[in-house]
Amino acid sequence: MMVAVIVYGSLYPFEFFRPQDSMGSLRGLLSTWRTWTGRGDIISNIMLYVPFGVFAVCAINKIIRAPFRIAGAVLAGTSLSFAMELAQYFVAGRFSSLADVYCAAAGSLLGALAGCALSGKTQLVWLEDLSARPFVAILLVCWLGYRLYPFEPVIDLHKYWDALKPLILFPQISALSVFRHMIAWLVISQLLDTALGRVRGRMAVVLLFCTVLFARVLIDGLSLTASEVCGGVLGVSIWLAALSRYRGRTVLIAAMFATSVILQGLEPFQFSSAARPFGWIPFRSLLQSPINTAIVSFFEKVFNYGCLVWLLAQAGLSSRTAVALGGALVLGLRMTQVYLPGRSAEITDFIMLLIIAGIMHLLGTGAKFGDELS
C-alpha cells in the first residue's frame, strides 16, 4: 500500500513525454547531487518514506538481526526513490532531484528505527503500551504533525510575542472553533486512555496539552488563539472531572466527533445554487496545493478519518459497519461540497478513509506492533 501511494504521488499527473535534451534521466539526476530543494519538500519527502520504513522493517522476518533488517528497509526505500526520480524525468511538470533520494533514505531509516523500537522490548513502559496499540500511536503522531508542523522551533522573543498576540491582545472566540478543539482533546484523551490506561492516560493528557501549547509558541509560523486554548481547557477539564469515569463515554465522544466532522465539512455554510463538477481524480487537491498546506491537510485528514472509524468501532459497531457509516458520511459531505464555493469536492477523502480503515484492520488492536506484518 505504501509503495502504491509513493508511486502515485511521484508520477502524478501521469503525463509522460520524451525530453528534447540529450542529457538523459540518469545523468540529469546525478547532476543535481548538490542541489537542495525547499524545507517543505525536504520534510514531505522524509515523512513520505517514514511509514514505508516502519512497515518494511516489520515485514522482514524477525529471525534476521535488527541491523540487517534496518539496512534492508533503507536500501529498499532508497532504491524505490531512485527509480521514481528517474521516472520523473519523463513526467510533465516534475523534476528529478537527488535531494529527494537523500530524504527518502533518511525517512526510511527513521521509519525502520521506529519500527524496531515499537516491535522490540524496551525499558519504557509507555512505549510498550503504544506498541500494543499501533493504530492509536499513528493517530496521535498524525495529530501532533497537524498541530506542530513545520516542527522548526526558533529562538526569537519577537516571534514568541507574535504567537501570543492573538491570545492576549486580540482574543476572538468562535463557538464552532471552541467546540472543535474541545472534541479534539476529548478524542486525544480517549486515545491516551486506551493506550496507557486511566491513571497514566490522565497524566499524559495534561502533560501533552501543556507541551503542545508551549511548542506552538516556539515553532516558526504557529501561534495560539483564544478558541484553541479555551477549547483545549474545556476538553481536558471535562475529561478529568467526569468523562474519564463515565462508561458510555466512547459512544458520546464518537457522536460529538462525527458532529464536528459534519460541521467542518459544511463550513462556511454558504451554499450556492449551482453545483460544481465533482472531482474523481484521487489526491488531486493535495498534489496541486502548496507543499506546506498539503502536509498539514494530510495530517488532519488522516487523524479525522482514522479517529472517526476507530471511535465507531470502539463504540461497539463491527469494523465493516464502522467503515460503511464513516465512508457514507465522508462521501456525502464531499458530494455536498459541490454547492460550497472554495471547497475541494472530490473523491480523495473517501479513498483516504478506506485506506486508513484497511491499515487499522491490518494492524489489529491487541497484538504487538509488527507481529501481524512479520
Side-chain angles (χ1 to χ4, degrees), residues 203-277:
M203 296 173 57
V205 71
V206 175
L207 179 61
L208 185 63
F209 177 69
C210 298
T211 301
V212 169
L213 293 187
F214 182 69
R216 287 183 62 83
V217 175
L218 299 181
I219 293 176
D220 187 28
L222 301 184
S223 61
L224 292 179
T225 65
S227 296
E228 175 183 4
V229 176
C230 290
V233 170
L234 279 175
V236 174
S237 299
I238 292 172
W239 176 264
L240 296 178
L243 207 55
S244 62
R245 293 183 290 271
Y246 177 52
R247 289 188 176 182
R249 63 179 182 271
T250 304
V251 176
L252 179 60
I253 293 175
M256 290 191 295
F257 188 75
T259 303
S260 176
V261 170
I262 293 172
L263 294 175
Q264 185 176 359
L266 297 180
E267 286 185 297
F269 310 106
Q270 298 176 353
F271 297 90
S272 62
S273 57
R276 296 177 290 113

Side-chain angles (χ1 to χ4, degrees), residues 8 35 74 81 90 95 101 104 172 182-183 214 227 254 267 283 305 308 310 314 316 336 342:
Y8 185 92
T35 304
V74 173
S81 176
F90 303 98
F95 302 94
V101 180
Q172 297 180 354
M182 180 189 73
I183 299 304
F214 182 69
S227 296
E267 286 185 297
F283 303 103
Y305 303 143
L308 180 61
W310 182 81
Q314 292 291 306
T336 304

Side-chain angles (χ1 to χ4, degrees), residues 19 107 116 148 222 266-268 292 301 303 306 346:
C116 284
L148 301 182
L222 301 184
L266 297 180
E267 286 185 297
N292 292 330
K301 290 176 185 294
F303 175 76
E346 60 180 36

Side-chain angles (χ1 to χ4, degrees), residues 25-341:
S25 59
L26 181 59
R27 289 180 57 191
L29 177 60
L30 295 178
S31 67
T32 65
W33 69 278
R34 290 188 300 178
T35 304
W36 286 91
T37 53
R39 181 183 65 183
D41 286 326
I42 292 173
I43 294 176
S44 63
N45 278 287
I46 291 175
M47 292 192 306
L48 182 62
Y49 279 84
V50 167
F52 175 86
V54 171
F55 294 123
V57 78
C58 290
I60 299 174
N61 196 313
K62 288 187 178 180
I63 297 177
I64 302 174
R65 297 178 62 183
F68 295 104
R69 289 194 289 136
I70 293 173
V74 173
L75 179 61
T78 305
S79 301
L80 176 61
S81 176
F82 193 82
M84 291 299 98
E85 293 303 317
L86 289 176
Q88 283 182 349
Y89 181 77
F90 303 98
V91 181
R94 306 304 295 265
F95 302 94
S96 301
S97 173
L98 269 182
D100 293 348
V101 180
Y102 305 153
C103 294
S108 299
L109 176 60
L110 290 174
L113 292 173
C116 284
L118 289 173
S119 60
K121 293 183 178 180
T122 69
Q123 300 299 319
L124 300 176
V125 177
W126 62 270
L127 189 58
E128 289 280 346
D129 292 336
L130 283 177
S131 69
R133 298 289 186 273
F135 190 72
V136 170
I138 290 175
L139 294 178
L140 289 170
V141 168
C142 287
W143 181 80
L144 288 173
Y146 162 55
R147 299 306 299 164
L148 301 182
Y149 180 83
F151 321 117
E152 184 179 347
V154 296
I155 302 177
D156 185 351
L157 294 179
H158 293 290
K159 190 277 167 192
Y160 304 156
W161 174 239
D162 289 338
L164 293 171
K165 277 183 181 179
L167 177 64
I168 299 175
L169 297 183
F170 314 105
Q172 297 180 354
I173 296 180
S174 163
L176 181 58
S177 181
V178 170
F179 176 75
R180 285 174 52 190
H181 285 290
M182 180 189 73
I183 299 304
W185 276 105
L186 288 176
V187 174
I188 294 298
S189 301
Q190 177 71 21
L191 290 169
L192 291 172
D193 182 89
T194 301
L196 305 178
R198 178 176 297 179
V199 176
R200 282 184 293 151
R202 289 162 62 91
M203 296 173 57
V205 71
V206 175
L207 179 61
L208 185 63
F209 177 69
C210 298
T211 301
V212 169
L213 293 187
F214 182 69
R216 287 183 62 83
V217 175
L218 299 181
I219 293 176
D220 187 28
L222 301 184
S223 61
L224 292 179
T225 65
S227 296
E228 175 183 4
V229 176
C230 290
V233 170
L234 279 175
V236 174
S237 299
I238 292 172
W239 176 264
L240 296 178
L243 207 55
S244 62
R245 293 183 290 271
Y246 177 52
R247 289 188 176 182
R249 63 179 182 271
T250 304
V251 176
L252 179 60
I253 293 175
M256 290 191 295
F257 188 75
T259 303
S260 176
V261 170
I262 293 172
L263 294 175
Q264 185 176 359
L266 297 180
E267 286 185 297
F269 310 106
Q270 298 176 353
F271 297 90
S272 62
S273 57
R276 296 177 290 113
F278 187 78
W280 293 100
I281 301 177
F283 303 103
R284 180 175 62 180
S285 60
L286 283 175
L287 293 171
Q288 292 180 347
S289 299
I291 188 65
N292 292 330
T293 303
I295 292 173
V296 174
S297 178
F298 176 80
F299 277 132
E300 182 183 17
K301 290 176 185 294
V302 173
F303 175 76
N304 282 344
Y305 303 143
C307 286
L308 180 61
V309 176
W310 182 81
L311 284 170
L312 291 175
Q314 292 291 306
L317 300 178
S318 67
S319 297
R320 291 183 180 181
T321 304
V323 174
L325 287 178
L329 175 61
V330 170
L331 184 60
L333 287 172
R334 290 301 161 184
M335 298 191 76
T336 304
Q337 286 178 352
V338 298
Y339 296 98
L340 286 169

